[in-house]
Amino acid sequence: EAEYWDLFRGMKAPTRGGTVMVPAMQWFWWLLGHVLPASERVVVSIMTAVGVASIGLSAGAVGRLGGRTAGWIAACLLVLNGAHAAWSSSAYNVILPHFFSAAALFAVSSSVRGQPGPWRAMVVLSVALSMALRMDSGTVGVAVAAAVLLVRPDGASVWERLRSWSVPGLICVAITAACVWPMLWPGSLPGSGERSLSFSLNRFYFAPYHPFDGALLAAVLVASTVLALRRHASVALVFLLWVGAHHGLMATFDDFGERHALVVLPAIVGLVGLG
């Protein structure tokens, strides 16, 4: 965070970076520093605005997929979430990629509930930008793919959906790969060589999902998920697949924490809202 602050103040220039000092985030702060005053309040205000916007996009996505009531419940739970509030005041690359993953979720929910064409470009760019700013936030691609295949109110078959989304999907993969490649070459992902050990320690580690790691709210989440599967099976499956895939991936990381769990927070509160 201090490094990004120095970039914003013009005390250093962007570098090739890596998975820690993400190139896209470096350029974000460096460019903003050329047009905005070097004030800590400016930095916090920008991130707070991004955090609020991410709540609107996440709740809007839940609302479009599961109804207005579900969307409002999701919004309230996001506003009250401590991790979301904390990272919305940080210059680190957490809330900005979270915003773009929320934008991808909103765009795909709008696509499957309405006219798909205008929203596909937003899905592609949002997924790519999300992963370029923080690699683990790219798991929103699981939610996007699941929504395209499972939520089909127009009666289209899976094959028809695959065919209509094949070109946007390939473009998304190509752009995302181009964004991620500079962070990985030469080098490797953090925690390489320790994946199996980390997974054995973290597979049942749910503290990052606070407050849903406590007995009471965990029970509420489980009950809500069961009800959501009965009332909105396809949408609930989208969220469950996203949470499961993300947790399985991040459990292999030796520094699994709340900033990683924040990625799937819209899915968790979405399940509560649907239930």
Side-chain angles (χ1 to χ4, degrees):
E1 190 169 46
E3 298 278 354
Y4 291 132
W5 172 237
D6 286 343
L7 284 161
F8 183 71
R9 292 187 295 170
M11 296 182 65
K12 60 192 305 182
T15 64
R16 188 175 180 278
T19 54
V20 178
M21 282 298 292
V22 179
M25 199 72 190
Q26 290 191 57
W27 282 101
F28 174 81
W29 284 122
W30 187 78
L31 290 170
L32 282 182
H34 281 68
V35 296
L36 297 173
S39 165
E40 295 166 347
R41 292 183 179 182
V42 170
V43 172
V44 174
S45 297
I46 291 171
M47 291 293 95
T48 301
V50 170
V52 171
S54 71
I55 290 175
L57 289 168
S58 299
V62 174
R64 291 200 169 191
L65 290 171
R68 180 171 294 183
T69 300
W72 276 109
I73 291 172
C76 292
L77 292 173
L78 287 168
V79 167
L80 294 171
N81 187 269
H84 195 288
W87 287 110
S88 294
S89 63
S90 169
Y92 199 50
N93 61 318
V94 175
I95 205 65
L96 189 62
H98 175 68
F99 165 83
F100 283 111
S101 64
L105 190 65
F106 179 81
V108 76
S109 67
S110 300
S111 173
V112 299
R113 291 304 195 205
Q115 295 299 319
W119 294 106
R120 286 176 179 168
M122 183 176 172
V123 171
V124 170
L125 292 175
S126 296
V127 172
L129 285 169
S130 177
M131 199 163 186
L133 289 160
R134 185 172 193 87
M135 290 186 62
D136 54 278
S137 66
T139 59
V140 71
V142 174
V144 168
V148 168
L149 297 177
L150 296 177
V151 185
R152 303 191 304 274
D154 55 2
S157 66
V158 172
W159 170 247
E160 289 172 328
R161 282 301 182 94
L162 284 172
R163 185 174 58 185
S164 65
W165 278 84
S166 59
V167 173
L170 290 172
I171 293 173
C172 184
V173 170
I175 294 176
T176 303
C179 292
V180 171
W181 181 253
M183 290 189 280
L184 298 180
W185 185 87
S188 60
L189 287 169
S192 295
E194 302 171 345
R195 297 286 179 194
S196 59
L197 174 60
S198 297
F199 184 76
S200 67
L201 296 171
N202 292 334
R203 64 185 185 274
F204 298 123
Y205 178 54
F206 301 119
Y209 300 100
H210 181 78
F212 295 101
D213 61 322
L216 178 60
L217 286 185
V220 170
L221 177 59
V222 170
S224 297
T225 301
V226 171
L227 289 171
L229 285 168
R230 293 181 62 184
R231 296 172 178 173
H232 307 273
S234 58
V235 179
L237 278 173
V238 170
F239 290 152
L240 281 173
L241 287 171
W242 185 18
V243 173
H246 186 80
H247 180 77
L249 176 66
M250 294 317 303
T252 68
F253 188 48
D254 57 5
D255 192 24
F256 182 30
E258 279 190 327
R259 66 189 185 280
H260 306 112
L262 192 68
V263 175
V264 292
L265 185 59
I268 293 172
V269 298
L271 286 169
V272 176
L274 290 173

